[in-house]
Amino acid sequence: MRVYVPLTLPGLAEAHKAGQLGPAPLDAYAVTPALREWYVSDDIEELEYAALSRAAQASLRRLAADPDAPRRRVVVAVDVPEGAAVADPDRALDESALGEVRLAAAVPLAKAAAVHVDSDDAEADVAAAADALGAADHGDEDARFTVDGAEDHELMWFGVQELPNLL
């Protein structure tokens, strides 16, 4: 099963140093039944892109909580055994939790399939989005527009072997 773990660049550096994503429990995103139903698609690539997008939104929240982190969203795509990622059944109908899963154990970085990171040219929009996130959560439409601006940037794909150069 493919899951998408939201991080920041400092979090990615820690994972690289430790050789694993952790400590457990880890929040991640995946193609869950609720995400599948919400997205109304049978195309697994579209569904995985939706899960990746949800993880990118969670990475933005991590950036908002860490003002010292470089303003680039980071998502690590990891393959885990079926059943290792569990969705909270009490939040299945909560739209903010679509695709959200929890991993009960740390995951070796060797299980990572790819790392997705914003390009340098996205930093200004991502920084503005991180700053506007609180206001957007409280209904400010201008702030919501700013947050949505970060989503206009596609995350770049990197192989795990490229981590040393990326960091």
Side-chain angles (χ1 to χ4, degrees):
M1 171 182 214
R2 172 83 32 107
V3 299
Y4 300 90
V5 180
L7 293 174
T8 61
L9 281 173
L12 182 61
E14 288 176 23
H16 183 257
K17 182 178 176 184
Q20 68 178 10
L21 296 164
L26 285 169
D27 292 327
Y29 292 80
V31 178
T32 62
L35 181 73
R36 190 180 294 272
E37 184 176 322
W38 174 77
Y39 202 76
V40 192
S41 175
D42 289 331
D43 185 333
I44 192 63
E45 287 183 17
E46 286 182 20
L47 292 166
E48 286 185 349
Y49 182 78
L52 171 66
S53 297
R54 302 290 294 178
Q57 292 169 359
S59 176
L60 182 64
R61 290 198 173 280
R62 289 175 182 241
L63 289 173
D66 184 358
D68 296 329
R71 299 337 234 178
R72 294 169 73 187
R73 297 168 298 166
V74 177
V75 176
V76 179
V78 182
D79 293 318
V80 298
E82 288 294 327
V86 179
D88 183 346
D90 293 333
R91 295 192 59 186
L93 299 177
D94 181 354
E95 190 172 316
S96 69
L98 289 171
E100 192 175 89
V101 294
R102 177 149 296 167
L103 299 168
V107 179
L109 205 50
K111 298 278 185 188
V115 179
H116 303 273
V117 181
D118 275 312
S119 64
D120 293 341
D121 67 337
E123 283 190 45
D125 288 339
V126 171
D131 291 343
L133 197 55
D137 287 346
H138 287 98
D140 183 319
E141 290 300 319
D142 290 334
R144 177 85 261 161
F145 181 78
T146 300
V147 170
D148 290 345
E151 295 176 16
D152 291 340
H153 296 277
E154 294 288 329
L155 298 176
M156 297 186 312
W157 183 95
F158 294 92
V160 178
Q161 69 277 10
E162 297 178 87
L163 275 178
N165 295 335
L166 180 62
L167 297 171

